[in-house]
Amino acid sequence: MNARTLLSSVLALAVLAGGYLFYRDYQYRQIHGTVTQVSLVTWDQEVEKVKSAEPVLVYFYRENDKNPANEAQNEEVRDFAWSTAGRVKVVAVNVGHIENLPLAIAHGTFRQPAFVIMVGDDFVTGPSGVLTTKEDLTRLLQGALLKLAPR
């Protein structure tokens, strides 16, 4: 076997392995890197049972006939969820539905969009009423983990 054939075989194997790892990472993020819609009915299942195992970012927003969705903010939240897949669960609560208002009131989010990081039984309220970037959400998460870390 000459050097050219050996080099081509190694290169093909490396490309195949890289493609496989990329595919596995993509599939993992498709499952764990998405924003889950939550309501008062599904709150216990999606948030309460998970928050002791991993941090949960709750995104409160208002969308109804009078308030259209803010696509720029939704995109920032989706990007944050994608980049923190498996480390942080990201859920969204539409307070435009009247049954979800108690969730917003319980977490002190009276203006939307609003963000809350939950770790165990504690939570940290983030920006409220302002558009927030992915970097701001990352800083909020880091600050919440430092503040709520067990001593």
Side-chain angles (χ1 to χ4, degrees):
M1 190 187 288
N2 63 20
R4 178 181 242 171
T5 306
L6 182 63
L7 185 60
S8 297
S9 298
V10 169
L11 184 62
L13 187 59
V15 168
L16 227 94
Y20 175 74
L21 292 175
F22 177 78
Y23 172 77
R24 295 288 299 192
D25 181 63
Y26 180 78
Q27 292 299 319
Y28 181 81
R29 289 178 191 276
Q30 286 288 78
I31 296 169
H32 299 286
T34 58
V35 179
T36 306
Q37 291 295 322
V38 176
S39 68
L40 185 62
V41 176
T42 59
W43 180 264
D44 284 340
Q45 176 184 353
E46 295 293 338
V47 177
E48 293 295 328
K49 292 184 178 179
V50 176
K51 68 182 183 179
S52 61
E54 65 182 328
V56 178
L57 172 74
V58 184
Y59 165 47
F60 293 97
Y61 69 99
R62 181 181 310 274
E63 180 182 357
N64 54 25
D65 295 337
K66 295 179 183 177
N67 300 304
N70 186 331
E71 287 304 318
Q73 184 65 69
N74 292 344
E75 186 64 31
E76 291 289 336
V77 173
R78 281 192 296 269
D79 286 347
F80 178 78
W82 187 263
S83 66
T84 59
R87 296 186 318 241
V88 178
K89 181 172 179 108
V90 180
V91 298
V93 179
N94 184 359
V95 296
H97 298 162
I98 194 78
E99 69 272 8
N100 295 333
L101 277 177
L103 293 173
I105 292 169
H107 294 94
T109 57
F110 300 105
R111 297 184 302 163
Q112 282 73 39
F115 299 91
V116 174
I117 297 279
M118 302 180 77
V119 179
D121 291 332
D122 298 321
F123 66 91
V124 173
T125 304
S128 185
V130 296
L131 298 180
T132 306
T133 65
K134 176 182 157 188
E135 290 78 20
D136 294 335
L137 294 175
T138 303
R139 282 191 295 274
L140 173 65
L141 174 64
Q142 291 169 349
L145 291 177
L146 286 175
K147 181 179 179 184
L148 301 176
R151 295 180 172 103

